[in-house]
């Protein structure tokens, strides 16, 4: 009798334990939702949350002067300027009175232009190169560049067609951004190359302000507008 009683008690206990493993009647268990999917090999869960985007570095611009003034206003702004005239190659060009003109070579002129002091811009100048009998009339600064590394297009200025080229290079914290305008008449090739020489501001213990690009390049457009072939 004791054995039978023990068996009955054991059976009741087993039924009670089994009932503990099921949810109560009328209650549905809600599984925890996770934002995971299987990896390609079907083993490791991978999060489906959208990845965090890393900002891309911004490209370095090169000089792209744009004449934003009307011809009348441009004429007023250049009133009182000095004029460089070359009878040998038959052209003339005006430049600001504060600029300094030098002729480092027989067929080259350099005009150092005024700039805003106290920034990382240390030089701003126009280099005029003159030649005859060339196969291609282009800026000398374009030499050595891979053609794909240059920006080139043909532009019309005061009725003359120019080859416009621009590029940029740097070394040891010095940066040279330039844009050249080259035109030819008969056998005379004239290249007008504007150059901005700036320094890396972070090479200084106290970084100087970055120069105003638009403000410093406005004079380029005005000078180009004064270029004329002599009769």
């Amino acid at each position: 009798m004791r054995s039978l009683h023990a068996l009955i008690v054991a059976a009741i206990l087993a039924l009670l334990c089994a009932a503990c493993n099921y949810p109560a009647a009328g209650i549905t268990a809600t599984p925890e939702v996770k934002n995971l999917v299987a990896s390609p090999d079907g083993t490791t869960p991978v999060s489906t949350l959208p990845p965090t985007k890393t900002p891309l570095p911004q490209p370095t611009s090169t000089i792209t002067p744009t004449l934003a003034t009307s011809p009348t206003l441009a004429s007023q702004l250049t009133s009182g300027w000095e004029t460089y005239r070359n009878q040998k190659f038959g052209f003339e060009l005006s430049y600001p009175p504060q600029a300094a003109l030098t002729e480092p070579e027989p067929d080259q002129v350099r005009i150092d232009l005024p700039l805003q002091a106290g920034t990382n811009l240390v030089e701003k100048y126009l280099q005029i190169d003159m030649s005859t009998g060339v196969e291609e009339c282009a800026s000398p600064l374009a030499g050595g560049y891979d053609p794909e590394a240059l920006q080139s297009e043909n532009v019309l200025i005061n009725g003359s067609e120019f080859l416009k080229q621009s590029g940029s290079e740097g070394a040891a914290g010095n940066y040279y951004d330039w844009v050249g305008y080259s035109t030819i008449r008969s056998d005379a090739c004239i290249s007008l190359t504007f150059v901005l020489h700036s320094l890396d501001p972070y090479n200084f213990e106290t970084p100087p302000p970055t120069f105003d690009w638009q403000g410093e390049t406005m004079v380029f457009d005005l000078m180009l507008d004064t270029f004329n072939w002599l009769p």
Side-chain angles (χ1 to χ4, degrees):
M1 289 294 294
R2 182 174 299 178
S3 298
L4 180 59
H5 178 75
L7 288 173
I8 292 172
V9 170
I12 293 173
L13 290 174
L15 289 173
L16 291 174
C17 290
C20 293
N21 294 328
Y22 291 93
I27 300 177
T28 303
T30 302
E32 180 182 359
V33 178
K34 294 184 179 181
N35 200 22
L36 300 175
V37 296
S39 62
D41 59 7
T43 58
T44 307
V46 177
S47 174
T48 59
L49 292 174
T52 302
K53 293 184 179 180
T54 302
L56 296 175
Q58 296 300 311
T60 303
S61 301
T62 57
I63 306 171
T64 308
T66 301
L67 188 59
T69 57
S70 67
T72 301
L73 180 56
S75 178
Q76 293 175 354
L77 292 173
T78 57
S79 177
W81 280 19
E82 304 289 340
T83 298
Y84 169 75
R85 183 175 291 106
N86 189 297
Q87 296 290 348
K88 177 182 177 181
F89 289 92
F91 74 94
E92 64 180 12
L93 178 84
S94 297
Y95 59 93
Q98 303 87 353
L101 185 149
T102 56
E103 298 185 56
E105 298 179 15
D107 294 336
Q108 185 183 91
V109 172
R110 172 166 165 156
I111 303 177
D112 286 279
L113 300 166
L115 52 82
Q116 177 65 47
T119 72
N120 67 323
L121 184 65
V122 293
E123 281 187 303
K124 180 173 73 172
Y125 61 90
L126 166 64
Q127 178 178 308
I128 306 176
D129 293 277
M130 300 155 279
S131 57
T132 57
V134 295
E135 294 183 3
E136 181 186 13
C137 185
S139 172
L141 270 66
Y145 273 80
D146 186 326
E148 295 184 356
L150 290 174
Q151 297 184 22
S152 301
E153 62 176 317
N154 292 318
V155 295
L156 194 66
I157 301 173
N158 282 345
S160 298
E161 185 175 329
F162 287 78
L163 171 63
K164 177 184 175 183
Q165 301 167 294
S166 59
S168 180
E169 57 185 280
N174 290 265
Y175 300 100
Y176 294 86
D177 295 288
W178 60 269
V179 56
Y181 294 83
S182 304
T183 185
I184 190 168
R185 186 179 72 167
S186 299
D187 198 32
C189 170
I190 312 299
S191 290
L192 312 172
T193 306
F194 296 93
V195 180
L196 292 176
H197 174 198
S198 60
L199 303 177
D200 186 346
Y202 295 102
N203 283 350
F204 296 84
E205 183 175 351
T206 302
T210 302
F211 69 93
D212 177 4
W213 192 282
Q214 184 176 1
E216 296 290 357
T217 57
M218 185 181 298
V219 69
F220 298 169
D221 297 304
L222 295 172
M223 293 178 70
L224 279 170
D225 196 54
T226 68
F227 178 90
N228 285 297
W229 292 108
L230 298 179

